[in-house]
Amino acid sequence: MINPNYVYSINQSIDVYRIGDDIIEFYFINSRRRVTLKVTLSVIDIISSLNGRNTILEICITNSVEYSTDVDAFLNYLMEENIISCITTREKEKSILSVTDIDRYDRQLNYFDSVFQKPSYEIQKRLQDEVVLVLGAGAIGSGIAIQLVMSGVRNLILIDKDDVTIDSLQRHFYFNVSDIGRPKTHALKDYLLSIDSSLACESYQKLIDFDTTMDQWLDRSSFVINTLDEPYIGITSLKVGRACYEKKIPMFVAGGFDAHLMSTGELIIPDVSPCVDCYTSHFSETLKDWEPQYNTAAIPDSEILNNRFEVGGLASMSLFSISYTVMAILNYFATGSESKYGRGELLFDKLEIKYLNISKNPNCLICGSI
Ligand SMILES: [Zn+2]
């Protein structure tokens, strides 16, 4: 609801164009959305005066326009369309963030304002309050942790069993040669603290297997990201996802999924989205006739069962999956809803993404309705 005694302004990520005498177009720079309106000269005067300094009533008096129900309805429409914001309210909202953080996240806050129908400061505060458990500090998991800390997440728990090796330098974004031999989680923690020294970060070098009790970390987490790809991400997700479902914690499954490294993952929200068992049963069905093909000519038979071959990959491919994941997570923190895309993979030679549409299985023992 518009309060005529409050100050309003056009949002910063919107350009306004006047076309002829009576057409106004609002162009959302981030989303490329356009809102085109036929208006009167009086309305153009009001829009031109929404400068963030004068109240609506003051603007009406200056422009000799009556604050009518039509003007009120028009301004409310601009609010609903996320074209204008109330500066008076924003000044109050600002108090939930420090002055330093308002400066630090200025452009991100503008982005939130232009994309989400929720005050940007509330979204930023939520990022700061979340406790995110990142399982796996490989190329994908570490990159997600970095981008989340850059965006303002201040509480992280990192778990990974591996040390930094020389091949880590090719796909990870935080290792230096001097880190080789250190636990990945420790090296990553140091890097994250260099981005934000106020970060509360726990790091554990530990193998997560079927016998590992997760409660000690899950009970302190509000969001989980699983990138553990050993023995396979589908298997680790089943274990972690069932535990998350019980505790009503959202989980994002990210990673290269072995077969393809430019993948988009899925956000699993308990009681909202298909659960991890729905995904597992879907893949069990679609992959029932699939068997791995080994290049048996390359190595002696005796070594085949004992060797695990790494799928080829580039840092650029990891970065695609990382960025998609973080965009989807930020969307969830801002809106509470899942991404509309989910599991898919980018085929670079065609520049197209193939998505798998998975719905809730009504017969699912975990989330089914039957
Ligand atoms: Zn299910």
Side-chain angles (χ1 to χ4, degrees):
M1 286 287 284
I2 293 289
N3 184 331
N5 292 306
Y6 282 5
V7 175
Y8 292 79
S9 76
I10 306 279
N11 286 332
Q12 291 193 47
S13 297
I14 295 177
D15 282 341
V16 185
Y17 298 95
R18 179 175 177 175
I19 305 166
D21 286 339
D22 58 356
I23 302 290
I24 286 276
E25 185 168 85
F26 300 97
Y27 177 61
F28 292 67
I29 296 166
N30 287 120
S31 64
R32 308 298 197 224
R33 186 163 73 96
R34 292 174 192 271
V35 175
T36 307
L37 303 171
K38 190 170 172 35
V39 294
T40 63
L41 285 175
S42 300
V43 166
I44 290 175
D45 287 339
I46 291 175
I47 291 171
S48 306
S49 306
L50 290 170
N51 53 16
R53 291 191 292 275
N54 301 107
T55 68
I56 297 295
L57 281 183
E58 288 169 345
I59 289 170
C60 286
I61 291 167
T62 304
N63 291 288
S64 304
V65 178
E66 184 191 351
Y67 186 73
S68 61
T69 51
D70 285 349
V71 170
D72 182 75
F74 177 73
L75 292 173
N76 270 300
Y77 170 79
L78 295 183
M79 281 288 281
E80 285 165 14
E81 288 293 321
N82 215 16
I83 292 170
I84 64 173
S85 294
C86 179
I87 299 300
T88 311
T89 310
R90 276 176 73 93
E91 289 302 316
K92 291 178 190 166
E93 291 165 7
K94 273 184 177 179
S95 62
I96 65 174
L97 296 180
S98 70
V99 175
T100 307
D101 283 343
I102 291 171
D103 285 343
R104 177 173 185 145
Y105 301 109
D106 182 44
R107 290 184 67 141
Q108 180 168 290
L109 292 168
N110 287 344
Y111 175 82
F112 290 161
D113 276 331
S114 68
V115 173
F116 301 119
Q117 306 283 335
K118 190 174 180 180
S120 54
Y121 297 105
E122 283 181 23
I123 301 170
Q124 192 64 44
K125 184 69 169 58
R126 175 163 181 180
L127 288 176
Q128 293 181 358
D129 293 341
E130 292 284 335
V131 180
V132 180
L133 172 60
V134 181
L135 298 170
I140 303 290
S142 62
I144 292 169
I146 291 167
Q147 287 197 14
L148 285 179
V149 171
M150 290 170 76
S151 67
V153 168
R154 294 250 161 98
N155 302 283
L156 276 183
I157 305 171
L158 309 171
I159 304 176
D160 190 288
K161 69 177 178 56
D162 289 331
D163 292 331
V164 179
T165 53
I166 191 161
D167 68 307
S168 307
L169 299 170
Q170 178 250 315
R171 289 184 306 119
H172 297 61
F173 293 92
Y174 63 98
F175 296 141
N176 295 314
V177 174
S178 60
D179 289 317
I180 292 174
R182 295 184 69 201
K184 282 184 175 180
T185 46
H186 297 0
L188 176 59
K189 178 180 176 177
D190 287 350
Y191 184 80
L192 296 174
L193 284 168
S194 74
I195 298 171
D196 187 347
S197 58
S198 67
L199 174 72
C201 183
E202 299 172 30
S203 63
Y204 301 94
Q205 185 175 34
K206 186 161 180 56
L207 168 71
I208 304 289
D209 59 24
F210 274 105
D211 299 324
T212 309
T213 305
M214 302 289 295
D215 290 354
Q216 56 182 310
W217 302 297
L218 290 179
D219 288 344
R220 290 185 286 123
S221 304
S222 57
F223 194 91
V224 173
I225 298 159
N226 184 34
T227 71
L228 293 172
D229 57 1
E230 291 184 38
Y232 179 65
I233 193 152
I235 294 173
T236 59
S237 288
L238 200 59
K239 172 190 170 63
V240 180
R242 284 178 176 172
C244 284
Y245 191 90
E246 255 188 57
K247 296 175 186 293
K248 305 300 180 197
I249 304 170
M251 175 182 79
F252 199 100
V253 182
F257 304 115
D258 255 11
H260 195 286
L261 293 171
M262 293 179 88
S263 303
T264 64
E266 63 266 16
L267 173 59
I268 295 176
I269 309 172
D271 300 326
V272 175
S273 61
C275 77
V276 71
D277 276 74
C278 289
Y279 276 90
T280 303
S281 58
H282 173 88
F283 290 123
S284 300
E285 180 60 26
T286 52
L287 298 176
K288 66 184 177 190
D289 297 324
W290 178 83
E291 283 186 25
Q293 301 294 313
Y294 295 111
N295 180 3
T296 53
I299 53 171
D301 284 350
S302 60
E303 291 183 24
I304 292 175
L305 293 177
N306 299 324
N307 278 278
R308 175 183 166 79
F309 297 100
E310 300 292 353
V311 176
L314 304 173
S316 313
M317 300 169 85
S318 304
L319 194 55
F320 170 82
S321 295
I322 292 162
S323 298
Y324 173 89
T325 301
V326 173
M327 292 286 280
I329 292 172
L330 293 180
N331 179 75
Y332 171 72
F333 287 156
T335 67
S337 60
E338 56 189 318
S339 159
K340 57 185 170 185
Y341 298 115
R343 179 79 69 94
E345 56 184 20
L346 172 65
L347 305 174
F348 180 69
D349 56 342
K350 297 176 184 163
L351 274 187
E352 67 180 36
I353 302 181
K354 288 174 65 178
Y355 291 103
L356 297 166
N357 294 315
I358 296 174
S359 11
K360 268 190 170 190
N361 175 4
N363 298 311
C364 176
L365 293 175
I366 305 294
C367 74
S369 53
I370 295 175

